[in-house]
Amino acid sequence: MKTILLCLLLIEVACATSYAPLDFPAEPTSEQLLNENGLAGADEDTLLAYVQFNWEAAGSWLPKVTDREEKQITSKYFNREQGKAPNSKTLAELFRDLQVERLHDPRRVVDVAIRELGHRGSEKSMVSLIGLAEFEEREWVGWKALASVQEILARIDPAKIDEKTLRLLSAKTVAPLLRDLDPKLADGFAWTLWSYQRKWLSVSFRSRLPLQTRLWLAKAFAPSHTKEAAEVFEEGLQSQDAAIRMAAGMLVRSVVGGSMSFDESSTKILERFREAKRNPSIPMWEILPVPLDRPLVQKTSGGRRDLVWLDHAAAVAKAHQDVWPMILEPLTNEMYYSRIGDSHPMNIGLSDSEGRVTSRFQNLNSQPVFAFHGGLWSTSGRSGGVQEFNADGSLLWECPGNFDCRALTPVSRGCLVYLGYQSMECRDRRGDLIWKTSLKKLNDPRFIVAIDDSHFVVSCGKSIGWLTKDGEYRPILEGLTSAGWIRYHPTQPWIVLDGGDMTAIVFDPKAGRETGRFDLDDGHGTGESRFPFPRTYFPE
């Protein structure tokens, strides 16, 4: 990796001396690291033993390691150039030492060894890597191993896994990993795990295998085993746990699609599941209700918050007065994301309209993005990276790093697209860069929705428009004050938030024009909230 440190243009005012940015040598390749450390051509047992023995070295985020190294070299170089350390090493000597250190750095070697196991490891490595991940307290470190587990799963035939391996596999860990696999392969693995667990646990199957795990498995094998999946989903939809009900409802929607209504009953959802064609690759806009079927939050001058449903002309079609004042965004099944407290980074709760909090998502640094399983994605105010949560608030996945990221959107096979101030980039579960595009021509990009892996809808300050993977932007609605989030659908009217004056704009994608505006912050009426909150504190 060739890194150019843009901040290294140093100007000495006194002597009018300037220095160009340093062009650092590329990171060693995987082949070089394996060769240098005697692991080239090593068998699986040797690689696995190296990873297990050096696991502690896996707890470093390599881009940050590289950044620190380059800052140290830069400091030494400029000290020499400025005469502060005239006898120090030359730049060529510093670079040579750096490459030697990198080639023998256990942090880099163990990272490559973990990846190598993903490329050519067997079920044996899969079991051991899962064990390392499950005992690792830092989720992002555990995901280094789980990313390789996913690669192994993608290469083996589920029908050929023997009972000894199945006995050692953790269904709780493996079931969520299936979400990134080819749907047919995920179906086969889910049913294999389900059948073995049912046989092994026998009468204690339901009590020993968590319902959340069974929901993940049911989602994967739903297209081929409808009856069994329906039984699991019905149990989830009738659970006393609101987070489980949320997860079950969203997982059913994720294999049925059709933009079921916001308040669809559990009975109706199950009927749709049994009768409709089941597809494991439903886009998010078909999993959620159509944009106008999800309410918006409007406030009164007296501090009350109301839910309002708009029609095509942005007139109120239905309203629900005096709801929990901290509601941020409706999800579905009468559940909402709500603010908890006034901290930043944000703390978000999954709540009902009365403010009863079911789950908590802490230290979020960006507006949460809905996940198909009822949880959410967000950038983290703690690690500077990205996190994915279950509906119950438990952490599913984490990738550290200080990416230039104002908003994000998931694309296929677990990859994420990060929208930054001046660039857009796609990264995989490991955080590896897949592609990157300059956005210097865009004005203040701030929200993004993936249409597919190469096409997006974005909001850019004064406009919203289409954006391609290559960075080409075509506005479709201009003249906005401060464009915010977008509720997208390919055929139904969208809702666009113009945040400057909290205006909800209804946009008709077929006609290519707005059809109405609704002020969410007009202070209509003097209704006071029945909830005991300070009238001065209602975060948007």
Side-chain angles (χ1 to χ4, degrees):
M1 177 183 69
K2 183 171 287 188
T3 303
I4 306 294
L5 297 184
L6 298 179
C7 62
L8 296 184
L9 188 58
L10 179 65
I11 299 177
E12 288 291 317
V13 178
C15 58
T17 302
S18 65
Y19 302 102
L22 299 185
D23 192 358
F24 283 87
E27 281 280 345
T29 65
S30 298
E31 292 76 14
Q32 289 173 330
L33 286 164
L34 293 172
N35 280 325
E36 190 69 20
N37 293 276
L39 295 174
D43 60 23
E44 182 180 6
D45 288 340
T46 301
L47 280 171
L48 188 56
Y50 183 89
V51 170
Q52 291 171 326
F53 186 77
N54 294 279
W55 178 250
E56 189 61 32
S60 295
W61 179 236
L62 292 185
K64 290 183 178 178
V65 171
T66 299
D67 186 53
R68 285 195 296 269
E69 291 172 340
E70 295 183 352
K71 286 179 178 177
Q72 290 173 357
I73 295 288
T74 300
S75 176
K76 292 178 181 178
Y77 167 68
F78 283 126
N79 281 338
R80 177 188 174 95
E81 291 298 299
Q82 295 166 20
K84 297 177 181 178
N87 297 322
S88 61
K89 293 181 179 180
T90 65
L91 186 61
E93 291 172 328
L94 290 171
F95 279 172
R96 185 171 60 249
D97 291 348
L98 174 65
Q99 286 304 80
V100 171
E101 291 171 5
R102 285 177 171 178
L103 282 169
H104 297 91
D105 182 357
R107 297 169 297 187
R108 289 175 167 87
V109 182
V110 75
D111 185 79
V112 168
I114 294 170
R115 292 166 183 264
E116 195 69 11
L117 288 174
H119 298 331
R120 55 190 179 91
S122 67
E123 292 90 331
K124 179 197 302 182
S125 293
M126 183 167 63
V127 171
S128 295
L129 289 170
I130 289 172
L132 288 170
E134 288 186 330
F135 283 98
E136 176 57 59
E137 293 181 354
R138 297 159 296 181
E139 285 83 357
W140 69 268
V141 179
W143 253 98
K144 286 188 174 185
L146 294 182
S148 289
V149 171
Q150 281 190 327
E151 291 180 329
I152 296 171
L153 288 170
R155 291 189 292 98
I156 61 179
D157 183 351
K160 295 181 180 179
I161 301 179
D162 57 41
E163 287 208 359
K164 179 182 178 182
T165 301
L166 287 171
R167 185 171 68 252
L168 296 173
L169 281 181
S170 167
K172 182 179 179 180
T173 299
V174 173
L177 301 183
L178 303 180
R179 67 194 186 280
D180 292 341
L181 299 185
D182 174 83
K184 289 186 177 179
L185 190 60
D187 190 327
F189 272 114
W191 187 247
T192 298
L193 280 170
W194 178 271
S195 301
Y196 177 76
Q197 293 287 335
R198 184 137 205 173
K199 171 186 173 183
W200 178 55
L201 295 174
S202 187
V203 295
S204 61
F205 175 69
R206 287 180 60 182
S207 61
R208 295 280 298 278
L209 196 63
L211 180 52
Q212 179 65 68
T213 300
R214 285 183 280 134
L215 286 170
W216 276 117
L217 294 174
K219 190 281 197 248
F221 65 63
S224 62
H225 295 83
T226 306
K227 179 177 178 295
E228 291 82 358
E231 291 174 354
V232 181
F233 289 142
E234 183 173 17
E235 184 180 354
L237 289 166
Q238 294 177 354
S239 172
Q240 296 299 308
D241 187 328
I244 289 290
R245 293 199 303 272
M246 168 61 69
M250 289 293 285
L251 289 172
V252 173
R253 290 168 181 264
S254 73
V255 293
V256 175
S259 300
M260 285 185 270
S261 70
F262 178 74
D263 55 358
E264 196 80 80
S265 69
S266 298
T267 302
K268 201 69 175 176
I269 288 175
L270 282 171
E271 285 180 9
R272 290 280 298 276
F273 173 73
R274 292 187 175 101
E275 297 169 359
K277 181 180 179 181
R278 288 161 294 280
N279 180 354
S281 301
I282 300 292
M284 197 64 201
W285 55 81
E286 274 198 55
I287 297 172
L288 291 169
V290 296
L292 291 178
D293 191 30
R294 284 166 52 210
L296 296 161
V297 182
Q298 184 185 34
K299 67 180 182 181
T300 70
S301 59
R304 191 185 72 205
R305 294 296 175 106
D306 300 336
L307 294 178
V308 293
W309 284 257
L310 304 182
D311 62 17
H312 188 267
V316 176
K318 183 174 66 171
H320 180 188
Q321 291 187 342
D322 202 6
V323 296
W324 177 241
M326 309 298 283
I327 288 176
L328 283 177
E329 183 72 12
L331 184 53
T332 185
N333 299 104
E334 299 292 342
M335 296 300 290
Y336 309 84
Y337 287 142
S338 300
R339 283 290 294 264
I340 300 177
D342 59 352
S343 63
H344 186 81
M346 294 185 293
N347 293 323
I348 300 291
L350 180 64
S351 74
D352 61 15
S353 61
E354 295 295 304
R356 290 182 285 260
V357 176
T358 296
S359 309
R360 294 173 182 267
F361 312 91
Q362 297 182 327
N363 295 315
L364 308 186
N365 211 31
S366 66
Q367 181 173 337
V369 177
F370 297 133
F372 73 86
H373 46 72
L376 59 85
W377 303 81
S378 179
T379 55
S380 169
R382 180 188 64 187
S383 68
V386 181
Q387 297 174 321
E388 180 186 12
F389 294 90
N390 267 313
D392 63 4
S394 59
L395 193 59
L396 266 174
W397 168 81
E398 181 178 12
C399 181
N402 294 307
F403 305 127
D404 174 21
C405 182
R406 303 193 72 188
L408 54 88
T409 185
V411 289
S412 63
R413 304 292 168 82
C415 292
L416 282 174
V417 169
Y418 302 78
L419 181 71
Y421 284 94
Q422 295 190 322
S423 66
M424 174 174 64
E425 54 191 57
C426 181
R427 293 181 180 269
D428 63 15
R429 287 285 188 191
R430 296 184 189 275
D432 294 345
L433 184 66
I434 299 173
W435 54 259
K436 185 173 183 177
T437 302
S438 172
L439 298 180
K440 291 183 179 179
K441 296 181 181 179
L442 265 64
N443 175 35
D444 193 16
R446 56 180 67 176
F447 188 84
I448 184 168
V449 179
I451 309 306
D452 55 39
D453 286 4
S454 302
H455 299 86
F456 311 88
V457 175
V458 297
S459 63
C460 293
K462 307 295 183 182
S463 69
I464 65 168
W466 304 110
L467 179 66
T468 68
K469 174 183 174 181
D470 299 323
E472 296 297 321
Y473 179 68
R474 179 168 62 87
I476 54 177
L477 179 61
E478 298 183 278
L480 304 180
T481 304
S482 181
W485 50 254
I486 304 166
R487 290 186 187 173
Y488 167 83
H489 194 280
T491 59
Q492 297 295 318
W494 307 358
I495 295 180
V496 179
L497 179 70
D498 195 4
D501 54 3
M502 292 298 291
T503 298
I505 299 172
V506 179
F507 176 78
D508 186 337
K510 294 180 180 177
R513 62 181 181 85
E514 68 173 74
T515 57
R517 293 184 171 224
F518 185 82
D519 193 342
L520 297 172
D521 191 27
D522 68 350
H524 72 100
T526 57
E528 294 188 4
S529 174
R530 59 192 164 93
F531 296 96
F533 267 82
R535 289 178 54 182
T536 55
Y537 173 61
F538 292 105
E540 306 302 341

